[in-house]
Amino acid sequence: MSVPYLKDYNNKKLLMVQEKPFIMLAGEVHNSNASSAEYMEEVWKQAEALGMNCLLIPISWEMIEPEEGKFDFSIVDGLISQAGKRNKKLGILWFGSWKNAECRYAPVWVKKDLERFPRAQIVKGENQTKLKFRDNRPYTTLSYLSKTTRDADARAFGALMAHIRDIDSKENIVVTVQVENETGILGTAREHSDEADALFESSVPEDFADYMKAHTESMTEDVRKEVEAGQTGRTWRERFGSTAEEIFSAYYIARFVETVAEAGKREYPLPMTVNCWLNKNGEEPGQYPSGGPVSRMHEVWDFCAPSIDMYCPDIYVPDFCGVCEEFTRRERPLYIPECATHSYAGPRQIYVIGHYHAIYYAPFGFEDMGKPFSAHQGYLFGMDVTDPALKVPQNVEEYAWYTRTLNEMIPLLADKYGTKELQAVCSEQDSSDMQFYPFGVRAVFEDPVLPRKDGVCLALKTGEDECYILANRCCLSFFSTDPDRPNTDILLMEEGRFEYGIWRSGRRLNGDEAVFMQYESPVLLRVQLFVYA
Ligand code: DGJ
């Protein structure tokens, strides 16, 4: 049996599949598409046309356990076989007790048995069934305190992972698994059942309180202040002040998820992730799912859910790079399971690999790539509809070019992960210099005539004076980083591509194309420089 795993590499992580590094250049399929293998035929074609090497597909609890204790894995088998035939990998998304902070994908026998599988009580004393939620729909989130729900979910997930092990541990088509989808509770910061109130009024478990006290350094500032000010031996409120209710929810949700993940890992220990519905500026817990793995709750999740390898942001907000910073500042690997498909989707893919050395990047609902965004979609995805990026769809050919080019370069890229020899800049960031030694690469995105909002440049240094550059919508120049040799000259610049790891040269660029290089479509260059006194 071989199991894909995360390898420590130059203080970063690499996903290893059959002892080779694999960067997931993926797309997440729309929620319902993978429920029909027949429907997926077209989706696979789209993935192929976009050059993707991997798809993220939901497998739901309701589909694999339609009757309690009776499992049906036919859909799993069909999807794995489809992926295998196309030489693609899969990241499975387990839609269990949570899907977007609700329980839409729990089986009918769970949904209908409100006694055994209680819903979260979000308001004291109210009849839950009368409560209305977003869009006037009934409130459906399952209680995170229910051990019965947790154990039923864990049993199903364990059975799924055992099945994947049985059919796939030789080929390794499935390479990662997301446990649940956007956990948390909406409408309130914590549950309000009698049980929840009693727990909230009791003492915080001592080992957890100690852990929080010992890990304030990495915390977001608001949480750190509250934890530092907290008293010992007291209730959640006394320990964690204004952040107590969210921490309480995170504690119980992460422990629930840990039980599920652990049951799966016991069967087949694939790298496991959780994705995150982000907290937007100024939102209170409950306006976003309280207790989910937002950055401010990472220390709680670390303590409670050690089986989870990565916390992954679903990024629909305009400040894409800010979110990436927040999710990597604790030296964690970057793994983006969902982001927008507008015109920044392609450049962002290059940027997260070149700058953050990301393991995984997947625009959500990639089937729509190239189509304009509708207001409805903007609302559904929680997007800022005033974001001008939404107006421009991603050029599909360009996206495919980016993905194929990166795919061919995986061994080269992965080799440089965790080093300064792989860098990237993009027009969403201020900095445009990539400093190596003894030279640097400058990508300028501003242009008085052509507005550039989706420019990107990745540079990979392969020798003392040599690098590969992947660029689009920018001007390039080079500079010396050696004060004793301040001059730089271009010795060689050629377009080209990699094929099975071999560089195939195209045009040799010189004259106008080398002195004033301005790229309006994607290009891969091999450059040799001369740095001299
Ligand atoms: C985030 C969820 O995780 C996805 O499954 C999908 O529902 C998107 N939102 C779009 O609404």
Side-chain angles (χ1 to χ4, degrees):
M1 169 164 109
S2 87
V3 189
Y5 67 99
L6 293 170
K7 174 176 162 175
D8 290 317
Y9 186 75
N10 297 329
N11 286 324
K12 290 267 177 193
K13 297 274 186 202
L14 274 181
L15 174 62
M16 302 296 289
V17 182
Q18 306 201 324
E19 290 311 323
K20 289 199 194 118
F22 184 66
I23 301 172
M24 295 166 76
L25 307 168
E28 180 165 330
V29 304
H30 274 297
N31 293 164
S32 308
N33 292 355
S35 63
S36 156
E38 195 187 333
Y39 190 95
M40 280 298 290
E41 288 294 337
E42 276 309 304
V43 177
W44 283 112
K45 285 185 196 152
Q46 285 176 288
E48 185 60 44
L50 289 165
M52 292 168 172
N53 62 16
C54 184
L55 285 192
L56 306 188
I57 50 158
I59 299 292
S60 67
W61 189 3
E62 67 174 355
M63 285 194 64
I64 66 156
E65 197 181 4
E67 258 183 81
E68 189 167 4
K70 291 197 181 142
F71 291 98
D72 173 359
F73 294 114
S74 48
I75 190 69
V76 183
D77 298 347
L79 292 166
I80 292 180
S81 142
Q82 285 184 328
K85 278 189 201 134
R86 290 161 178 85
N87 201 19
K88 307 279 183 230
K89 300 291 180 195
L90 291 175
I92 298 274
L93 315 171
W94 172 239
F95 285 8
S97 297
W98 276 274
K99 163 67 174 77
N100 297 17
E102 294 188 75
C103 77
R104 303 249 148 223
Y105 286 83
V108 171
W109 52 270
V110 170
K111 284 180 182 160
K112 283 171 77 173
D113 195 339
L114 298 168
E115 290 291 316
R116 268 179 84 206
F117 306 107
R119 304 290 164 96
Q121 187 169 336
I122 62 167
V123 182
K124 195 84 216 146
E126 285 276 344
N127 177 349
Q128 286 294 122
T129 53
K130 284 202 186 128
L131 274 176
K132 292 290 185 215
F133 178 57
R134 291 199 310 174
D135 314 326
N136 214 26
R137 290 186 283 106
Y139 190 78
T140 75
T141 306
L142 292 163
S143 169
Y144 52 67
L145 295 174
S146 166
K147 293 191 176 60
T148 313
T149 311
R150 179 197 69 188
D151 293 345
D153 188 333
R155 258 192 313 275
F157 186 63
L160 171 66
M161 293 308 291
H163 183 75
I164 295 175
R165 175 201 61 216
D166 291 347
I167 64 166
D168 189 46
S169 59
K170 274 209 187 95
E171 266 197 90
N172 296 137
I173 289 164
V174 182
V175 292
T176 59
V177 183
Q178 176 186 296
V179 189
E180 312 291 346
N181 192 84
E182 293 191 341
T183 54
I185 179 169
L186 281 167
T188 176
R190 70 167 176 92
E191 291 190 19
H192 287 279
S193 61
D194 291 344
E195 184 193 4
D197 285 352
L199 284 170
F200 191 67
E201 293 309 325
S202 63
S203 291
V204 175
E206 212 46 53
D207 52 350
F208 174 57
D210 290 346
Y211 182 90
M212 292 294 275
K213 274 269 188 228
H215 289 81
T216 49
E217 208 175 303
S218 60
M219 286 175 180
T220 55
E221 208 181 319
D222 48 349
V223 178
R224 182 173 58 240
K225 271 195 202 141
E226 296 292 351
V227 175
E228 280 172 352
Q231 304 159 34
T232 49
R234 292 296 179 84
T235 66
W236 291 79
R237 179 69 74 204
E238 286 160 331
R239 288 273 197 178
F240 303 128
S242 65
T243 53
E245 294 196 304
E246 186 177 11
I247 291 180
F248 176 86
S249 289
Y251 178 84
Y252 283 103
I253 292 172
R255 280 161 50 103
F256 185 124
V257 171
E258 170 64 16
T259 305
V260 176
E262 207 265 328
K265 276 205 164 165
R266 214 178 308 135
E267 300 297 342
Y268 189 38
L270 286 181
M272 292 199 185
T273 68
V274 286
N275 67 331
C276 173
W277 174 330
L278 297 172
N279 48 336
K280 298 202 197 99
N281 270 347
E283 281 184 338
E284 296 292 325
Q287 289 177 297
Y288 62 91
S290 180
V294 291
S295 167
R296 52 196 254 119
M297 290 297 114
H298 282 183
E299 286 74 17
V300 183
W301 277 78
D302 283 347
F303 178 81
C304 299
S307 298
I308 297 301
D309 300 291
M310 283 176 282
Y311 309 135
C312 313
D314 294 346
I315 315 182
Y316 297 101
V317 293
D319 185 16
F320 178 88
C321 299
V323 175
C324 294
E325 281 297 305
E326 188 53 43
F327 272 71
T328 50
R329 75 175 172 82
R330 297 171 177 92
E331 304 296 317
R332 291 178 201 282
L334 187 62
Y335 192 102
I336 299 175
E338 295 184 34
C339 60
T341 56
H342 58 56
S343 65
Y344 294 5
R348 284 174 177 176
Q349 174 168 235
I350 305 295
Y351 182 67
V352 298
I353 285 165
H355 184 71
Y356 293 106
H357 303 177
I359 289 179
Y360 171 142
Y361 175 86
F364 174 80
F366 76 90
E367 299 94 318
D368 292 337
M369 191 159 312
K371 295 183 197 155
F373 265 93
S374 66
H376 172 71
Q377 271 175 314
Y379 166 74
L380 190 70
F381 296 178
M383 282 172 154
D384 175 354
V385 286
T386 62
D387 180 0
L390 260 59
K391 297 216 167 78
V392 189
Q394 170 67 50
N395 176 303
V396 172
E397 283 73 38
E398 274 191 13
Y399 195 89
W401 186 96
Y402 288 138
T403 315
R404 290 206 181 99
T405 303
L406 289 174
N407 203 22
E408 288 290 345
M409 291 175 73
I410 286 179
L412 209 57
L413 293 163
D415 185 48
K416 302 291 182 189
Y417 264 35
T419 76
K420 294 253 179 286
E421 299 197 333
L422 174 62
Q423 299 186 33
V425 289
C426 67
S427 53
E428 289 184 77
Q429 289 293 71
D430 293 337
S431 162
S432 62
D433 281 359
M434 289 163 279
Q435 305 236 2
F436 303 100
Y437 181 82
F439 61 87
V441 181
R442 178 165 300 139
V444 177
F445 299 105
E446 296 96 51
D447 181 280
V449 184
L450 296 162
R452 293 197 174 87
K453 292 284 179 214
D454 46 7
V456 69
C457 182
L458 172 150
L460 187 147
K461 183 171 182 264
T462 42
E464 173 66 13
D465 58 0
E466 187 182 75
C467 65
Y468 290 91
I469 297 177
L470 190 164
N472 197 7
R473 279 186 269 287
C474 61
C475 289
L476 287 180
S477 58
F478 303 95
F479 57 92
S480 164
T481 53
D482 181 349
D484 298 331
R485 295 181 289 161
N487 304 305
T488 317
D489 199 3
I490 301 170
L491 298 181
L492 169 87
M493 177 179 277
E494 58 186 15
E495 294 172 334
R497 62 183 192 283
F498 281 96
E499 262 177 30
Y500 305 107
I502 313 257
W503 175 250
R504 306 271 178 219
S505 317
R507 286 190 303 167
R508 182 168 177 137
L509 304 181
N510 210 332
D512 293 349
E513 285 73 41
V515 177
F516 185 62
M517 293 155 288
Q518 177 163 295
Y519 299 100
E520 290 306 324
S521 53
V523 65
L524 184 63
L525 303 168
R526 178 170 160 242
V527 180
Q528 283 174 355
L529 298 162
F530 177 45
V531 176
Y532 60 101

